[in-house]
């Protein structure tokens, strides 16, 4: 629940990532916001984030989210991120932690299907339904038993219940907030999407254009 690790890794005078000043609670009952950011860092991966307890619980998925029933993929839990990170799309400058291009790849509502999400995560198993713009259906996150070559941060994300609709090549390389490709985001390094819902009128035009629209995700923010 603390952002200490998040802040320790970053120099906010050198990156446009959110400082984590906002920690508004947006979840209602067992439904809460989720985002997936495609992140071309040293290695391409996908960051899966669930808004819980005033932070974004976060996992790095080296191979993304599985869509075929029964398929399992590694999900490495990483430090909690501030909730305003859910709006971030842009470029983390070279030399900074996680340097590279970040695309808001998917966003929407996550619903815990068994018990409260906080308790489920502490127990190491969360069964949930995603209603995103790209991903729809049921998945399960399970913490792996720590072993010699595996620490307690290793989880699996498993496609449960049935196959999800496969992601088209076009959708794979398309931001859900700006419609941009990874290449376009990288080429427009000055355009950063970042927590500008409340200050849009004071922001330069090119940043205002990037107001996040999380579709149904917005409904629970009001
Ligand atoms: Mn990342």
């Amino acid at each position: 629940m603390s952002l200490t690790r998040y802040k320790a890794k970053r120099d906010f005078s050198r990156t446009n990532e959110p400082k984590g000043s906002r920690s508004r609670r947006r979840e209602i009952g067992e439904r809460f916001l989720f985002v997936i950011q495609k992140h071309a860092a040293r290695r391409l991966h996908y960051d899966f984030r669930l808004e819980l307890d005033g932070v974004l619980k976060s996992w790095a998925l080296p191979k993304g989210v599985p869509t075929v029933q029964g398929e399992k993929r590694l999900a490495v839990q990483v430090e909690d991120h501030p909730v305003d990170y859910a709006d971030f799309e842009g470029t983390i400058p070279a030399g900074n932690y996680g340097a590279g291009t970040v695309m808001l790849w998917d966003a929407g509502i996550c619903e815990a299907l068994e018990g409260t999400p906080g308790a489920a995560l502490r127990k190491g198993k969360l069964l949930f339904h995603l209603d995103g713009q790209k991903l729809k259906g049921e998945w399960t996150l399970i913490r792996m038993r720590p072993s010699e070559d595996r620490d307690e941060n290793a989880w699996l994300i498993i496609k449960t219940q049935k196959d999800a609709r496969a992601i088209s090549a076009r959708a794979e390389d398309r931001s859900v907030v700006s419609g941009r490709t990874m290449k376009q985001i990288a080429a427009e390094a000055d355009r950063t999407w970042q927590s500008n819902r409340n200050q849009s009128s004071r922001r330069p035009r090119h940043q205002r254009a990037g107001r996040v629209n999380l579709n149904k995700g917005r409904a629970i923010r009001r």
Side-chain angles (χ1 to χ4, degrees):
M1 244 167 277
S2 160
L3 296 174
T4 313
R5 286 178 61 210
Y6 173 85
K7 289 177 180 171
K9 288 180 174 185
R10 291 168 177 80
D11 175 353
F12 294 106
S13 64
R14 300 181 58 215
T15 177
N16 283 324
E17 294 168 285
K19 295 187 187 76
S21 44
R22 190 163 59 89
S23 63
R24 192 153 45 118
R25 200 179 163 83
R26 286 191 291 218
E27 66 266 36
I28 293 178
E30 314 310 348
R31 301 173 79 238
F32 41 99
L33 179 83
F34 87 91
V35 297
I36 297 175
Q37 282 154 325
K38 185 173 179 177
H39 185 184
R42 210 162 19 166
R43 275 195 195 166
L44 181 74
H45 62 274
Y46 296 75
D47 291 299
F48 181 61
R49 310 191 195 278
L50 302 176
E51 185 178 345
L52 270 184
D53 299 331
V55 293
L56 296 174
K57 293 290 176 190
S58 298
W59 290 262
L61 280 48
K63 296 189 170 166
V65 177
T67 56
V68 175
Q69 196 241 320
E71 200 182 344
K72 302 176 168 75
R73 291 192 183 163
L74 180 65
V76 180
Q77 188 166 17
V78 297
E79 75 272 18
D80 293 346
H81 278 52
V83 291
D84 40 11
Y85 210 92
D87 299 337
F88 181 74
E89 176 175 287
T91 301
I92 303 170
N96 290 278
Y97 179 74
T101 307
V102 177
M103 168 194 282
L104 265 164
W105 188 84
D106 202 9
I109 299 294
C110 179
E111 186 173 0
L113 300 176
E114 285 176 351
T116 64
L121 284 178
R122 280 190 292 279
K123 272 196 256 172
K125 185 184 176 194
L126 177 68
L127 178 67
F128 57 93
H129 182 275
L130 296 184
D131 186 6
Q133 297 187 35
K134 293 178 185 171
L135 295 175
K136 293 182 195 295
E138 185 188 302
W139 281 264
T140 304
L141 265 173
I142 293 183
R143 189 192 288 128
M144 287 198 271
R145 208 180 285 277
S147 67
E148 265 177 39
D149 49 355
R150 206 163 58 207
D151 63 24
E152 71 278 6
N153 295 323
W155 294 60
L156 288 173
I157 183 166
I158 307 169
K159 183 67 194 77
T160 42
Q161 195 200 26
K162 60 180 186 184
D163 290 3
R165 207 172 134 185
I167 304 297
S168 69
R170 182 167 180 273
E172 176 51 48
D173 195 22
R174 190 166 195 277
S175 161
V176 292
V177 286
S178 66
R180 295 183 297 173
T181 64
M182 289 296 272
K183 232 181 180 169
Q184 288 170 330
I185 296 167
E188 300 170 18
D190 59 319
R191 290 179 79 191
T192 297
W193 266 246
Q194 183 190 330
S195 190
N196 51 4
R197 279 186 301 275
N198 303 321
Q199 327 161 23
S200 56
S201 56
R202 300 204 309 270
R203 292 248 171 169
R205 186 191 240 295
H206 68 275
Q207 291 190 16
R208 256 185 286 155
R211 274 171 74 99
V212 170
N213 178 2
L214 292 176
N215 288 352
K216 291 175 188 167
R218 291 185 71 82
I220 57 167
R221 294 178 175 197
R222 294 192 181 112

